[in-house]
Amino acid sequence: MNHQAIGNCIQHFFAQNGKISLLLEQQAVGLWAQTVGEFVAKQTTKISAKRGVLYVTIPNAALRFEVLSSRSQIAAKINETLGGEVIKGIIIK
């Protein structure tokens, strides 16, 4: 019996089925709060990823503008954590 961690099994399954990008995108969604901090994360009402783009909804206009100006740095931090270019862009609504 092979005693791999469940995470390794899931990653292997996605890789075998050509869906590793989906797994990485979901991990990127999970990294949003860690990357932008607690305050911005609490103000974020929706977050999803599709085809390498992170879609984020921030109702507060002033905060949305602030996050817009630093979205390339946010994407770079997320990609660094994931070890590759998973997020190519961030769209903030």
Side-chain angles (χ1 to χ4, degrees), residues 20-38:
I20 196 73
S21 62
L22 293 175
L23 177 65
L24 292 171
E25 286 175 352
Q26 289 311 302
Q27 289 175 341
V29 167
L31 288 170
W32 175 257
Q34 175 185 331
T35 306
V36 298
E38 185 178 339

Side-chain angles (χ1 to χ4, degrees), residues 8-62:
N8 290 340
C9 291
I10 291 170
Q11 192 168 12
H12 180 70
F13 173 79
F14 276 94
Q16 272 188 321
N17 293 292
K19 303 293 183 186
I20 196 73
S21 62
L22 293 175
L23 177 65
L24 292 171
E25 286 175 352
Q26 289 311 302
Q27 289 175 341
V29 167
L31 288 170
W32 175 257
Q34 175 185 331
T35 306
V36 298
E38 185 178 339
F39 179 75
V40 175
K42 283 184 178 181
Q43 300 297 315
T44 303
T45 57
K46 284 186 181 178
I47 182 166
S48 63
K50 187 174 183 180
R51 296 186 187 142
V53 178
L54 207 55
Y55 296 91
V56 180
T57 302
I58 301 173
N60 182 308

Side-chain angles (χ1 to χ4, degrees), residues 31 34-36 71-83:
L31 288 170
Q34 175 185 331
T35 306
V36 298
R71 62 185 166 177
S72 61
Q73 294 92 341
I74 295 168
K77 285 181 184 179
I78 290 172
N79 287 333
E80 181 181 335
T81 302
L82 293 174

